[in-house]
Amino acid sequence: MNRRTSRRITRQATAAAVRIYSEDLKESERLAIAARCEEDPVFKARFVEAHQLLGALDGWRDELREDSAYRSIPGRPRAHGRRVRRIAASGIAASVLVLTAIFLTTSSRLFTEPDSEVPRYTTVVGEQRLVALEDGSNITLNTDSQVLVEMTSAARRIVMDRGEAYFEVAPDPLRPFTVEVGGQAMTAYGTAFNLRRLGDGFTLALMDGRLALHRQGGEPPLDPPWLDAKADPGGVEQTIGAGLGVRAGTVVHFNAHTQTMRARHEPGLGQRQHWRQGRLSFRDQPMSAVITELSRYSEKPIRIHDAHIGDTRVFATLQLDSIDGALATLENALPIRVVPKVSEIVIMAAHEESSLQGP
């Protein structure tokens, strides 16, 4: 991707993010933006960045509304109120321009190699793939996943577009290794961690080393406040804000809707990367969660027909080389019956007669 194309996509994504904030946004426009994000991962990454930057204005708007409340105080000159309103409006407009300029500069900074393509690595459903980077780092992609990789002399940047990946980061103090997902970023100089994208949120499990969480597009904090997940067995919940440090043994769940994260210390992190050895381990998990996980690796959707089966507790290790074999393991250990069909796989209670119609 050359410089001109990169800046063009950035301008289009920024314009789309600004349009989302418009009160007269049409449904057709919203659907068109969503379709472009689905088709173009680079556009989607830039759009998320712009949306996050513009979202920072919400707090400023609230402050301006509160500050403008004094205009209702008896005796306050009306002309002065109009002048403040004009100043407030111009301030918001100026802020949008400043943030847009910052976004354009930041987004294009790591995509400035002339006539170069941004490498994209993808897996299909059921596939796993090892990606060896030129710096000595490794990325193992899980089923139905995609990352974009940009390596320059100044930085190593990864965009987690979808799915799940295990990162083994080679130390390089002069080139920070940053993974971006859903408007947030994590920078590591030599760590190992598992990252799974969930919509615009994510689950991060840090196996080794330390890393910094911060907003996408911003510089990683040099000395962030460090989370102490061990201190509270119930977990720590807060916003990422300007940046947070995370130590090995910590699992972080980020909720994109509330813009908050919940972190907890988890001694047995190993099972979170069992998929790399071709298996999934479940310890006292509901059947509904087990089937949801297996479905990620199955070309056919797997559906639970009897709702009460979803509450059945599962203790099992399932091999991923054969979905049929994994389901057979569950069928032999639990009171369920697996009914394969042409378009789906159905899980029923073992004692119930099949009332399913069709192929």
Side-chain angles (χ1 to χ4, degrees):
M1 180 182 297
N2 58 40
R3 185 192 298 263
R4 180 174 298 177
T5 300
S6 178
R7 291 189 65 83
R8 175 175 55 80
I9 294 176
T10 298
R11 286 194 296 270
Q12 293 171 347
T14 304
V18 171
R19 187 61 188 155
I20 288 292
Y21 277 86
S22 173
E23 294 181 356
D24 62 344
L25 176 72
K26 298 180 176 62
E27 179 65 11
S28 59
E29 292 179 287
R30 187 188 67 79
L31 292 175
I33 293 172
R36 177 71 185 277
C37 287
E38 185 70 23
E39 296 169 359
D40 187 346
V42 175
F43 176 89
K44 181 178 180 180
R46 308 291 174 81
F47 172 79
V48 170
E49 291 173 348
H51 194 275
Q52 288 287 339
L53 286 171
L54 293 173
L57 287 173
D58 288 343
W60 296 1
R61 292 190 186 101
D62 292 340
E63 291 178 8
L64 286 170
R65 292 190 187 102
E66 293 174 2
D67 291 343
S68 64
Y70 78 93
R71 292 199 297 269
S72 64
I73 298 176
R76 178 65 63 180
R78 297 174 64 88
H80 186 62
R82 286 194 297 271
R83 182 170 63 86
V84 171
R85 191 179 300 114
R86 286 196 297 272
I87 293 174
S90 62
I92 291 177
S95 298
V96 171
L97 291 175
V98 170
L99 285 174
T100 302
I102 292 173
F103 169 67
L104 288 170
T105 301
T106 303
S107 296
S108 61
R109 185 174 59 210
L110 295 179
F111 289 88
T112 55
E113 298 296 329
D115 301 321
S116 64
E117 292 293 331
V118 178
R120 181 182 307 175
Y121 301 96
T122 304
T123 56
V124 299
V125 173
E127 180 188 11
Q128 294 179 5
R129 178 181 182 183
L130 174 63
V131 180
L133 303 182
E134 52 88 7
D135 69 327
S137 300
N138 291 319
I139 304 175
T140 306
L141 296 178
N142 200 1
T143 176
D144 191 22
S145 301
Q146 179 169 278
V147 296
L148 285 75
V149 178
E150 179 74 2
M151 308 289 282
T152 72
S153 59
R156 300 171 289 175
R157 180 188 181 192
I158 315 296
V159 175
M160 187 79 188
D161 187 58
R162 71 171 186 270
E164 183 174 22
Y166 185 81
F167 295 86
E168 298 170 284
V169 182
D172 187 346
L174 299 180
R175 288 200 300 169
F177 189 103
T178 300
V179 181
E180 301 175 353
V181 53
Q184 305 298 321
M186 52 206 71
T187 297
Y189 295 92
T191 58
F193 59 94
N194 195 85
L195 178 64
R196 179 173 173 181
R197 179 162 189 165
L198 303 168
D200 284 332
F202 61 82
T203 295
L204 163 72
L206 184 56
M207 311 296 178
D208 182 55
R210 301 186 299 177
L211 55 76
L213 295 173
H214 55 96
R215 288 200 177 276
Q216 182 174 328
E219 293 294 329
L222 295 177
D223 187 20
W226 292 95
L227 284 173
D228 188 4
K230 284 185 177 181
D232 189 347
V236 179
E237 184 169 347
Q238 64 183 83
T239 60
I240 292 177
L244 289 171
V246 181
R247 296 183 175 90
T250 303
V251 175
V252 174
H253 301 281
F254 178 75
N255 187 318
H257 298 290
T258 63
Q259 290 294 299
T260 58
M261 50 144 282
R262 186 170 186 83
R264 73 174 187 275
H265 180 69
E266 188 174 301
L269 283 182
Q271 68 178 17
R272 290 187 175 271
Q273 55 167 323
H274 281 176
W275 59 266
R276 297 172 60 209
Q277 288 79 46
R279 67 181 191 273
L280 294 177
S281 297
F282 302 97
R283 296 293 178 267
D284 196 23
Q285 296 293 310
M287 175 68 79
S288 57
V290 174
I291 295 305
T292 296
E293 283 298 300
L294 279 181
S295 295
R296 299 173 59 210
Y297 301 85
S298 175
E299 295 183 354
K300 289 183 181 180
I302 306 175
R303 177 172 62 88
I304 295 178
H305 181 261
D306 306 290
H308 66 275
I309 296 178
D311 297 327
T312 303
R313 312 306 292 186
V314 177
F315 296 80
T317 296
L318 306 177
Q319 300 299 318
L320 293 173
D321 55 349
S322 169
I323 295 299
D324 290 340
L327 290 173
T329 298
L330 291 175
E331 190 174 34
N332 291 332
L334 299 168
I336 63 171
R337 186 153 52 95
V338 178
V339 182
K341 299 174 69 66
V342 174
S343 59
E344 64 178 356
I345 301 172
V346 182
I347 309 297
M348 302 184 63
H351 63 277
E352 294 189 14
E353 294 294 330
S354 175
S355 60
L356 300 176
Q357 301 295 325

